[in-house]
Amino acid sequence: MAMFSFAISPITFLGKLSNFIWSSVLGLKNFHRRIPIFMQQFDFISVESLLVVTFSAIFIGSVLSFQTYVALHLFGMDSFLGSSVGIALMRELGPVFCGIMVAARAGAAIGAEIATMRVTEQIDAMEALGTDPFDYLVTPRILAGTIGLPLLCAYFVLIGCGAGWFIAKVVLSTDGAVYWQQLSWAVDFNDVWQGLTKAGIFGFFLSILGCYY
């Protein structure tokens, strides 16, 4: 029985989560009435995360630029510093670190807020008054996370590339023009699309899991 329980538990979780996601999607039909709540959650998830994202981008871009230069300098490939920093930030580091920062700050807060409403029976009162908790509480938060995280990711990459340029130009005394030239040459539309898509997926799941738990 323990073995069957171990196998059934993840399936049960996926079933409950899928049902939760579907109920949240159905809440979109009343989204036009929840725009003020959406704007409030967008401000909480995205705008209020700008400070921590800014500091993270500055330090990560700076360290990435310095460490990449150390490796490239051994092979006489200093000119590829900008392209290396840009691709790494856009494809991987931007979405991942933005997801971590927002999950730690906003995702946990969403879970705690809705859990408190459940414990204090506010959600039960909402249902008794005929208000769907999904379109009022869950759907605006999911949309705010899904839309806000790609914007934060783009901001993170810009700040990180700027910090990398500062290290390359001021600390390492390399050619700053070459840095931007190589960065613009290497980072194309596919890199931007992949990075923003990842950020959108991370934003969706961190908000849906925060609401679910």
Side-chain angles (χ1 to χ4, degrees):
M1 292 299 295
M3 182 178 66
F4 287 111
S5 177
F6 179 78
I8 292 173
S9 180
I11 300 174
T12 304
F13 167 76
L14 290 176
K16 291 181 179 179
L17 183 62
S18 300
N19 186 50
F20 189 87
I21 293 174
W22 177 246
S23 299
S24 304
V25 171
L26 293 178
L28 289 171
K29 64 181 182 294
N30 294 322
F31 176 70
H32 60 282
R33 296 188 297 178
R34 311 304 183 195
I35 292 179
I37 302 175
F38 165 78
M39 296 303 297
Q40 180 184 9
Q41 292 302 316
F42 183 84
D43 175 75
F44 173 71
I45 294 174
S46 302
V47 178
E48 294 185 16
S49 298
L50 283 176
L51 184 61
V52 65
V53 168
T54 300
F55 279 106
S56 300
I58 290 173
F59 289 116
I60 291 170
S62 301
V63 171
L64 179 64
S65 179
F66 185 83
Q67 295 296 336
T68 304
Y69 173 82
V70 172
L72 292 176
H73 186 67
L74 296 175
F75 302 96
M77 302 172 65
D78 303 3
S79 60
F80 289 94
L81 178 60
S83 58
S84 301
V85 172
I87 291 176
L89 287 175
M90 190 70 253
R91 286 187 180 179
E92 301 295 340
L93 297 182
V96 169
F97 276 96
C98 280
I100 292 173
M101 295 299 112
V102 175
R105 197 197 69 82
I110 289 173
E113 180 183 12
I114 296 181
T116 302
M117 296 180 70
R118 170 62 73 185
V119 171
T120 56
E121 298 182 350
Q122 296 180 50
I123 296 179
D124 296 333
M126 197 178 298
E127 292 173 341
L129 293 173
T131 301
D132 184 6
F134 283 94
D135 73 67
Y136 189 85
L137 295 175
V138 179
T139 303
R141 287 169 169 80
I142 294 174
L143 282 178
T146 306
I147 296 173
L149 209 66
L151 299 177
L152 282 176
C153 176
Y155 173 77
F156 182 98
V157 172
L158 290 175
I159 298 299
C161 290
W165 169 84
F166 179 82
I167 295 298
K169 176 71 174 178
V170 177
V171 178
L172 302 174
S173 300
T174 61
D175 192 336
V178 173
Y179 176 92
W180 290 117
Q181 181 182 8
Q182 289 294 319
L183 191 151
S184 61
W185 168 78
V187 180
D188 57 14
F189 176 78
N190 288 329
D191 298 320
V192 176
W193 175 253
Q194 290 176 20
L196 297 183
T197 302
K198 287 180 183 178
I201 294 172
F202 292 161
F204 173 80
F205 278 104
L206 71 87
S207 55
I208 197 77
L209 290 174
C211 294
Y212 177 80
Y213 279 106

